[in-house]
Amino acid sequence: MDFKQIEAFVNVVRYKSFSKAADASFFTQPTISTHIQNLEKELGVKLLDRKSRSVEMTLQGEKFYKYAIEMINARAQAVDAIKSSYESIDGVLEIQSSSIPGVTFLPEILAKFRDKYDSVQFYVSLSDTQSVIDNILDRRGEIGFVGDQVKHTSIRSTLVSTDKSVLIAPLSYNMDKKISLREAFEYPFIWRETGSATRKNFEIAAAERGLDYGEMKFAALIDDLNSIIRSVESGLGVSIISEKVADRLHGRVSISEISDFDENRSFYMITLKSGSLSPAADAFVKFVENKSI
């Protein structure tokens, strides 16, 4: 049994796609397919169901997956122990991140980490906070960054950064520098998906002030942060984003504080409490914990 075969299997399971698994491991898709076929031939069972729209595990695949993860990490730790140094760590480090960390502080962390460990490659997947949590629990990535503290017995959270939320609007709206939640309700909103921590906290704040969230004017629901910004610039509506992101948009959009939604956002790095981390992930966690972001 070759470890490249096991890594190929794990990546296909994580991404439910042979092409995405190839991207994540920096292999070609035919190479991934060959590794899986050889692994299934050696084990004498089918590990993956290729007939469905997305690739899913068979019952035998589900049994093998948890051992596959541990074998990969145990092998990496054994190699690292023999080398007796993190200076030589390498491999692909998969990171799950919600949108705000992904476009604010995470790129800088990745660059600084790779300055120290230049053999490490990154595969970064951006989604909403809830999807990041779900992916980490499903072991589709070793490290996550989210905009909400995770209260789950299987997850360890580490505070890494703080920020506040502001409202951005088209320049043509001539917005005041500070408005109330009730005033904000008068404008058409562009929102992230329901898993967004910012949206969830805004809904809570509105309800606490007796505002009916169902009466809000919705212009669009857009998953991608950059698309939201471009839509605001184009005059589609307003949105709430990170102040760190908004600071880069001066002259492109109007930026306002919401007086009764003074939300100080905290961003966390999350990992699973159980199971072992790869040496690259372990080094990355320590690197982030020792940095002031």
Side-chain angles (χ1 to χ4, degrees), residues 163-179 229 232-233 237-259:
D163 194 9
K164 66 182 293 185
S165 297
V166 295
L167 183 137
I168 60 171
L171 293 173
S172 60
Y173 281 23
N174 296 317
M175 299 282 283
D176 292 334
K177 293 299 182 183
K178 183 172 286 190
I179 64 172
I229 292 169
V232 172
E233 284 185 282
V238 304
S239 191
I240 294 177
I241 67 172
S242 156
E243 185 177 43
K244 290 181 179 178
V245 176
D247 283 343
R248 305 175 185 179
L249 305 176
H250 282 288
R252 296 169 54 187
V253 297
S254 172
I255 304 171
S256 302
E257 293 183 22
I258 301 178
S259 57

Side-chain angles (χ1 to χ4, degrees), residues 79-90:
V79 171
D80 181 74
I82 292 172
K83 292 179 178 178
S84 301
S85 173
Y86 272 140
E87 298 303 323
S88 58
I89 65 170
D90 57 15

Side-chain angles (χ1 to χ4, degrees), residues 87-125:
E87 298 303 323
S88 58
I89 65 170
D90 57 15
V92 179
L93 177 55
E94 183 187 355
I95 295 174
Q96 299 282 338
S97 178
S98 60
S99 59
I100 294 175
V103 299
T104 53
F105 60 82
L106 182 57
E108 182 179 357
I109 294 175
L110 300 184
K112 289 181 177 179
F113 183 80
R114 202 164 188 277
D115 283 342
K116 188 173 183 180
Y117 306 109
D118 60 5
S119 295
V120 174
Q121 297 168 303
F122 300 103
Y123 187 89
V124 181
S125 178

